[in-house]
């Protein structure tokens, strides 16, 4: 089954404790991206990747890092999480770029205390 | 920068009627526009994509229009059913080509029996 898998689905942690949210897709997609979703603000793009070793900033990249060492994986790293990063996070992938249908994971709800 | 406006108020309609949701954008005309459905606790699911040179696109009970003069897309669900109740998001390409995707905050649709 074609899917985008995120882990963990839920995480409660404390300020400053590094964390990684993993994202994996099994569709051989080149384009992957991370979004955060906050009430009233909608989905905002954090980072995206056009292909392996090619990443770029979205609209809200501050406080986040990503890497794309393999085509299928695109982890999101919070080196020193802060409470304003409490949010619902989604990973997405598509075959070529943002002008193709995006396949989303089921989300990761992060709470930073 | 590009801004997307979707009606933040929920749309309540009776089963069997046509639901019409609006997506307005403020700046440059996008090369394409996408519509997604999001259920509570789930990631968005792609529904339709319409390109700037297309006036209308249909898929089963769904219809999307794209008016670059009005800077507006309309999303219609005909013969609506309670199962159509969800939040509907529109998205369009950000500045600089096909790398960034900008989402509206979404409109919640409730279809009542």
């Amino acid at each position: 089954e074609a899917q985008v898998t995120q882990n963990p689905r839920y995480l409660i942690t404390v300020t400053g404790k590094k964390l990684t949210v993993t994202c994996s897709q099994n569709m051989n997609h080149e384009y992957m991206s991370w979004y955060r979703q906050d009430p009233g603000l909608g989905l905002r793009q954090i980072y995206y990747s056009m292909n392996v070793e090619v990443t770029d900033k979205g609209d809200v990249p501050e406080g986040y890092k990503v890497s794309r060492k393999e085509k299928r994986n695109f982890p999101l790293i919070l080196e020193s999480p802060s409470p304003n990063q409490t949010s619902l996070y989604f990973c997405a992938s598509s075959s070529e770029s943002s002008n193709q249908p995006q396949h989303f994971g089921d989300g990761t709800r992060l709470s930073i205390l | 920068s590009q801004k997307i406006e979707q009606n933040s108020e929920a749309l309540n309609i009776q089963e069997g009627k046509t639901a019409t949701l609006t997506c307005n954008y403020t700046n440059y005309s996008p090369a394409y526009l996408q519509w997604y459905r999001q259920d509570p606790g789930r990631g968005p699911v792609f529904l339709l994509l319409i390109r700037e040179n297309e006036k209308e696109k249909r898929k089963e009970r769904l219809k999307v229009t794209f008016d670059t003069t009005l800077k507006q897309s309309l999303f219609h669900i005909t013969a609506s059913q309670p199962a159509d109740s969800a939040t509907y998001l529109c998205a369009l390409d950000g500045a600089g080509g096909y790398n960034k995707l900008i989402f509206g905050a979404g409109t919640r649709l409730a279809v009542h029996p």
Side-chain angles (χ1 to χ4, degrees):
Chain A
E1 181 191 348
Q3 59 186 5
V4 176
T5 303
Q6 295 179 226
N7 281 297
R9 293 291 313 279
Y10 305 91
L11 179 63
I12 301 174
T13 187
V14 295
T15 299
K17 186 176 181 183
K18 180 180 177 179
L19 67 92
T20 298
V21 184
T22 63
C23 173
S24 180
Q25 50 92 5
N26 62 0
M27 296 166 279
N28 201 36
H29 282 169
E30 293 187 354
Y31 183 89
M32 297 186 74
S33 58
W34 275 102
Y35 297 86
R36 60 178 288 174
Q37 187 173 38
D38 301 289
L41 296 177
L43 284 160
R44 293 179 292 168
Q45 196 173 39
I46 303 170
Y47 269 94
Y48 63 91
S49 170
M50 298 295 290
N51 212 325
V52 174
E53 302 292 1
V54 181
T55 63
D56 208 345
K57 296 176 181 178
D59 290 322
V60 287
E62 294 77 22
Y64 304 94
K65 283 175 57 176
V66 292
S67 68
R68 189 92 182 270
K69 293 187 170 60
E70 307 164 280
K71 200 169 189 178
R72 64 184 293 127
N73 296 322
F74 190 45
L76 179 70
I77 303 154
L78 284 71
E79 293 269 6
S80 183
S82 62
N84 64 10
Q85 293 177 297
T86 292
S87 187
L88 180 57
Y89 291 85
F90 289 101
C91 179
S93 73
S94 68
S95 57
E96 292 177 7
S97 63
S98 62
N99 70 340
Q100 298 295 317
Q102 303 295 306
H103 298 257
F104 282 84
D106 274 337
T108 296
R109 188 166 290 282
L110 282 184
S111 293
I112 316 293
L113 305 178
Chain B
S1 62
Q2 183 73 283
K3 284 198 171 123
I4 302 176
E5 295 163 356
Q6 291 187 260
N7 196 339
S8 58
E9 292 182 15
L11 178 63
N12 291 282
I13 65 167
Q14 210 64 30
E15 183 176 6
K17 301 291 187 187
T18 295
T20 298
L21 287 72
T22 305
C23 175
N24 295 303
Y25 56 93
T26 57
N27 291 334
Y28 58 88
S29 279
Y32 60 90
L33 194 144
Q34 304 181 37
W35 282 89
Y36 290 79
R37 169 186 173 137
Q38 187 174 22
D39 292 288
R42 305 299 302 272
V45 174
F46 172 77
L47 296 174
L48 281 167
L49 182 151
I50 187 166
R51 301 190 188 281
E52 60 180 336
N53 59 349
E54 298 174 315
K55 290 277 194 279
E56 183 180 296
K57 206 88 171 272
R58 291 175 185 259
K59 178 183 174 183
E60 297 171 354
R61 295 184 296 111
L62 309 180
K63 183 177 87 170
V64 171
T65 63
F66 194 3
D67 189 328
T68 55
T69 302
L70 292 178
K71 295 189 176 182
Q72 181 181 80
S73 174
L74 297 179
F75 177 80
H76 306 271
I77 305 176
T78 58
S80 59
Q81 305 163 1
D84 295 326
S85 299
T87 296
Y88 291 86
L89 312 174
C90 74
L92 47 85
D93 56 300
Y98 301 147
N99 296 332
K100 292 186 179 181
L101 198 58
I102 301 173
F103 280 84
T107 298
R108 189 162 57 86
L109 172 67
V111 182
H112 302 283

Coordinates of all heavy atoms in Angstrom, one line a residue, chain A residues 13-61:
Chain A
T13 N 7.3 16.3 25.4 CA 8.7 16.4 25.8 C 9.0 17.8 26.4 O 8.0 18.6 26.6 CB 9.7 16.2 24.6 OG1 11.0 16.1 25.1 CG2 9.6 17.3 23.6
V14 N 10.2 18.0 26.8 CA 10.5 19.3 27.5 C 11.4 20.1 26.7 O 12.1 19.7 25.8 CB 11.2 19.0 28.9 CG1 10.2 18.2 29.8 CG2 12.4 18.2 28.7
T15 N 11.4 21.4 27.0 CA 12.2 22.4 26.3 C 13.7 22.0 26.3 O 14.2 21.6 27.3 CB 12.1 23.8 27.0 OG1 10.7 24.2 26.9 CG2 12.9 24.8 26.3
G16 N 14.3 22.1 25.1 CA 15.7 21.9 25.0 C 16.2 20.4 24.7 O 17.3 20.2 24.4
K17 N 15.2 19.5 24.8 CA 15.6 18.1 24.6 C 15.4 17.7 23.1 O 14.3 17.6 22.6 CB 14.8 17.2 25.5 CG 15.2 15.7 25.4 CD 14.3 14.9 26.4 CE 14.8 13.4 26.3 NZ 14.0 12.6 27.2
K18 N 16.6 17.5 22.5 CA 16.6 17.2 21.0 C 15.6 16.1 20.7 O 15.6 15.1 21.3 CB 18.0 16.9 20.6 CG 18.1 16.6 19.1 CD 19.6 16.3 18.7 CE 19.7 15.9 17.2 NZ 21.1 15.6 16.8
L19 N 14.9 16.3 19.6 CA 14.0 15.2 19.1 C 14.0 15.1 17.6 O 14.3 16.1 16.9 CB 12.6 15.4 19.7 CG 11.8 16.6 19.1 CD1 11.0 16.2 17.9 CD2 10.9 17.1 20.2
T20 N 13.7 13.9 17.1 CA 13.6 13.7 15.7 C 12.3 13.0 15.4 O 11.9 12.1 16.0 CB 14.7 12.8 15.2 OG1 16.0 13.4 15.4 CG2 14.6 12.5 13.7
V21 N 11.6 13.6 14.4 CA 10.4 13.0 13.8 C 10.7 12.3 12.5 O 11.2 13.0 11.6 CB 9.3 14.0 13.7 CG1 8.0 13.3 13.2 CG2 9.0 14.8 14.9
T22 N 10.5 11.0 12.4 CA 10.9 10.4 11.1 C 9.7 10.4 10.1 O 8.5 10.5 10.5 CB 11.3 8.9 11.4 OG1 10.2 8.2 11.9 CG2 12.4 8.9 12.4
C23 N 10.1 10.4 8.9 CA 9.1 10.3 7.8 C 9.7 9.4 6.7 O 10.8 9.6 6.3 CB 8.8 11.7 7.2 SG 7.8 11.7 5.7
S24 N 8.8 8.4 6.3 CA 9.3 7.5 5.2 C 8.2 7.3 4.2 O 7.0 7.2 4.6 CB 9.6 6.2 5.9 OG 10.1 5.2 4.9
Q25 N 8.5 7.3 2.9 CA 7.5 7.0 1.9 C 8.0 5.8 1.0 O 9.2 5.7 0.8 CB 7.2 8.3 1.1 CG 8.5 9.0 0.5 CD 8.9 8.6 -0.9 OE1 8.2 7.8 -1.5 NE2 10.0 9.1 -1.3
N26 N 7.0 5.1 0.6 CA 7.3 3.9 -0.2 C 6.9 4.0 -1.7 O 6.6 3.0 -2.3 CB 6.6 2.6 0.4 CG 5.1 2.7 0.4 OD1 4.5 3.7 0.0 ND2 4.5 1.7 1.0
M27 N 6.8 5.2 -2.2 CA 6.3 5.4 -3.5 C 7.4 5.9 -4.5 O 7.1 6.3 -5.6 CB 5.2 6.5 -3.5 CG 3.9 6.0 -2.7 SD 2.8 7.3 -2.3 CE 3.5 8.0 -0.9
N28 N 8.7 5.9 -4.0 CA 9.8 6.3 -4.8 C 9.6 7.8 -5.3 O 10.1 8.2 -6.3 CB 10.0 5.5 -6.1 CG 11.4 5.6 -6.6 OD1 12.4 5.7 -5.9 ND2 11.5 5.5 -7.9
H29 N 9.0 8.6 -4.4 CA 8.8 10.0 -4.7 C 10.1 10.8 -4.6 O 10.9 10.6 -3.6 CB 7.7 10.6 -3.8 CG 6.3 10.2 -4.2 ND1 5.2 10.4 -3.4 CD2 5.9 9.6 -5.4 CE1 4.1 10.0 -4.1 NE2 4.5 9.5 -5.2
E30 N 10.2 11.8 -5.4 CA 11.4 12.7 -5.4 C 11.2 13.8 -4.4 O 12.1 14.3 -3.7 CB 11.8 13.2 -6.7 CG 12.2 12.1 -7.7 CD 12.7 12.7 -9.0 OE1 12.6 13.9 -9.3 OE2 13.2 11.9 -9.8
Y31 N 10.0 14.4 -4.4 CA 9.7 15.6 -3.6 C 9.1 15.2 -2.2 O 8.2 14.4 -2.2 CB 8.7 16.5 -4.4 CG 8.4 17.8 -3.7 CD1 9.1 18.9 -4.0 CD2 7.3 17.9 -2.9 CE1 8.8 20.1 -3.4 CE2 6.9 19.1 -2.3 CZ 7.7 20.2 -2.6 OH 7.4 21.4 -2.0
M32 N 9.7 15.7 -1.2 CA 9.2 15.5 0.2 C 9.2 16.9 0.9 O 10.0 17.7 0.6 CB 10.0 14.5 1.0 CG 9.9 13.1 0.3 SD 10.7 11.8 1.3 CE 9.6 11.6 2.6
S33 N 8.3 17.0 1.9 CA 8.2 18.3 2.6 C 7.6 18.1 4.0 O 7.0 17.0 4.2 CB 7.4 19.3 1.8 OG 6.1 18.8 1.6
W34 N 7.9 19.0 4.8 CA 7.3 19.1 6.2 C 6.5 20.3 6.4 O 6.8 21.4 5.9 CB 8.4 19.1 7.2 CG 8.9 17.7 7.6 CD1 10.1 17.1 7.1 CD2 8.3 16.8 8.4 NE1 10.2 15.9 7.7 CE2 9.2 15.6 8.4 CE3 7.1 16.7 9.2 CZ2 8.9 14.5 9.2 CZ3 6.8 15.6 9.9 CH2 7.7 14.5 9.9
Y35 N 5.3 20.1 7.1 CA 4.4 21.2 7.4 C 4.1 21.2 8.9 O 4.1 20.1 9.5 CB 3.1 21.1 6.6 CG 3.2 21.1 5.1 CD1 3.5 20.0 4.4 CD2 3.0 22.3 4.4 CE1 3.6 20.0 3.0 CE2 3.1 22.4 3.1 CZ 3.4 21.3 2.4 OH 3.5 21.3 1.0
R36 N 3.7 22.3 9.4 CA 3.1 22.4 10.7 C 1.8 23.0 10.5 O 1.5 23.9 9.7 CB 4.0 23.2 11.7 CG 4.2 24.6 11.4 CD 5.0 25.3 12.5 NE 4.2 25.5 13.8 CZ 4.7 25.9 14.9 NH1 6.0 26.2 15.0 NH2 3.9 26.1 16.0
Q37 N 0.8 22.5 11.4 CA -0.6 23.0 11.3 C -1.0 23.5 12.6 O -1.0 22.8 13.6 CB -1.5 21.9 10.8 CG -2.9 22.4 10.5 CD -3.8 21.3 9.9 OE1 -3.7 20.1 10.2 NE2 -4.6 21.7 9.0
D38 N -1.4 24.8 12.7 CA -1.8 25.5 13.9 C -3.2 26.0 13.7 O -3.5 26.5 12.5 CB -0.8 26.6 14.3 CG 0.6 26.0 14.5 OD1 0.8 25.3 15.5 OD2 1.5 26.3 13.6
P39 N -4.0 26.1 14.7 CA -5.4 26.6 14.5 C -5.4 28.0 13.9 O -4.7 28.8 14.4 CB -5.9 26.5 16.0 CG -5.1 25.5 16.7 CD -3.8 25.6 16.0
G40 N -6.2 28.1 12.9 CA -6.4 29.4 12.3 C -5.3 29.8 11.3 O -5.5 30.8 10.6
L41 N -4.2 29.1 11.3 CA -3.1 29.4 10.5 C -3.0 28.5 9.3 O -2.2 28.7 8.3 CB -1.8 29.5 11.2 CG -1.7 30.5 12.3 CD1 -0.4 30.4 13.1 CD2 -1.8 31.9 11.7
G42 N -3.6 27.3 9.4 CA -3.5 26.4 8.3 C -2.1 25.7 8.3 O -1.3 25.8 9.2
L43 N -1.8 25.0 7.2 CA -0.6 24.3 7.0 C 0.5 25.3 6.5 O 0.3 26.0 5.5 CB -0.7 23.2 5.9 CG -1.5 22.0 6.4 CD1 -2.0 21.2 5.1 CD2 -0.6 21.1 7.2
R44 N 1.6 25.3 7.2 CA 2.7 26.1 6.8 C 3.9 25.2 6.5 O 4.3 24.4 7.4 CB 3.0 27.2 7.9 CG 1.9 28.2 8.0 CD 2.3 29.2 9.1 NE 2.3 28.6 10.4 CZ 2.8 29.2 11.5 NH1 3.3 30.4 11.4 NH2 2.8 28.6 12.7
Q45 N 4.6 25.5 5.4 CA 5.7 24.6 5.0 C 7.0 25.0 5.8 O 7.3 26.2 5.8 CB 5.9 24.8 3.5 CG 6.8 23.7 2.9 CD 6.8 23.7 1.4 OE1 6.9 24.8 0.8 NE2 6.8 22.6 0.7
I46 N 7.6 24.0 6.3 CA 8.8 24.2 7.1 C 10.1 24.0 6.2 O 10.9 24.9 6.1 CB 8.9 23.2 8.3 CG1 7.6 23.3 9.1 CG2 10.1 23.4 9.1 CD1 7.5 22.2 10.2
Y47 N 10.2 22.9 5.6 CA 11.3 22.6 4.7 C 10.7 21.7 3.6 O 9.7 21.0 3.8 CB 12.4 21.8 5.4 CG 13.5 22.7 6.0 CD1 13.4 23.1 7.3 CD2 14.6 23.1 5.2 CE1 14.4 23.9 7.9 CE2 15.6 23.9 5.8 CZ 15.5 24.3 7.1 OH 16.5 25.1 7.6
Y48 N 11.5 21.7 2.5 CA 11.1 20.7 1.4 C 12.4 20.2 0.8 O 13.5 20.8 1.0 CB 10.2 21.3 0.3 CG 10.8 22.5 -0.4 CD1 11.5 22.3 -1.6 CD2 10.7 23.8 0.1 CE1 12.1 23.4 -2.3 CE2 11.2 24.9 -0.6 CZ 11.9 24.7 -1.8 OH 12.4 25.7 -2.5
S49 N 12.3 19.1 0.1 CA 13.4 18.5 -0.6 C 13.0 18.0 -2.0 O 12.0 17.3 -2.2 CB 13.9 17.3 0.2 OG 14.9 16.5 -0.5
M50 N 13.8 18.5 -3.0 CA 13.5 18.1 -4.4 C 14.1 16.7 -4.7 O 13.6 16.1 -5.7 CB 14.1 19.2 -5.3 CG 13.5 20.6 -5.2 SD 11.7 20.6 -5.6 CE 11.8 20.4 -7.3
N51 N 15.1 16.3 -4.0 CA 15.7 15.0 -4.2 C 16.7 14.7 -3.2 O 16.9 15.6 -2.3 CB 16.3 14.9 -5.6 CG 16.2 13.5 -6.2 OD1 16.3 12.5 -5.5 ND2 16.0 13.5 -7.5
V52 N 17.4 13.6 -3.3 CA 18.4 13.3 -2.3 C 19.5 14.4 -2.2 O 19.9 14.9 -3.2 CB 19.1 11.9 -2.6 CG1 20.2 11.6 -1.7 CG2 18.0 10.8 -2.6
E53 N 19.8 14.8 -1.0 CA 20.8 15.8 -0.7 C 20.4 17.2 -1.2 O 21.3 18.1 -1.2 CB 22.2 15.4 -1.3 CG 22.7 14.0 -0.9 CD 23.1 14.0 0.6 OE1 23.0 15.1 1.3 OE2 23.6 13.0 1.1
V54 N 19.2 17.4 -1.6 CA 18.7 18.7 -2.0 C 17.6 19.1 -1.1 O 16.5 18.6 -1.2 CB 18.2 18.7 -3.5 CG1 17.8 20.1 -3.9 CG2 19.3 18.2 -4.4
T55 N 17.8 20.1 -0.2 CA 16.8 20.6 0.7 C 16.8 22.1 0.6 O 17.8 22.7 0.3 CB 17.0 20.1 2.1 OG1 18.2 20.7 2.6 CG2 17.1 18.6 2.2
D56 N 15.6 22.7 1.0 CA 15.5 24.1 1.0 C 14.4 24.5 2.0 O 13.6 23.8 2.4 CB 15.1 24.7 -0.4 CG 15.7 26.1 -0.6 OD1 16.1 26.7 0.4 OD2 15.7 26.5 -1.7
K57 N 14.5 25.8 2.4 CA 13.6 26.3 3.4 C 12.3 26.6 2.9 O 12.1 27.1 1.7 CB 14.2 27.6 4.0 CG 15.5 27.4 4.8 CD 16.1 28.8 5.2 CE 17.4 28.6 5.9 NZ 18.0 29.9 6.4
G58 N 11.3 26.3 3.7 CA 9.9 26.7 3.4 C 9.6 28.1 4.0 O 10.5 28.9 4.1
D59 N 8.4 28.3 4.5 CA 8.1 29.6 5.1 C 8.4 29.8 6.5 O 8.5 30.9 7.0 CB 6.6 29.8 4.8 CG 6.2 30.1 3.4 OD1 7.0 30.7 2.7 OD2 5.2 29.6 2.9
V60 N 8.5 28.7 7.3 CA 8.8 28.7 8.7 C 9.9 27.8 9.1 O 9.7 26.9 9.9 CB 7.5 28.5 9.5 CG1 6.5 29.7 9.4 CG2 6.8 27.2 9.1
P61 N 11.1 28.0 8.7 CA 12.2 27.0 8.9 C 12.9 27.2 10.3 O 13.6 26.3 10.7 CB 13.2 27.3 7.8 CG 13.0 28.7 7.5 CD 11.5 29.0 7.8

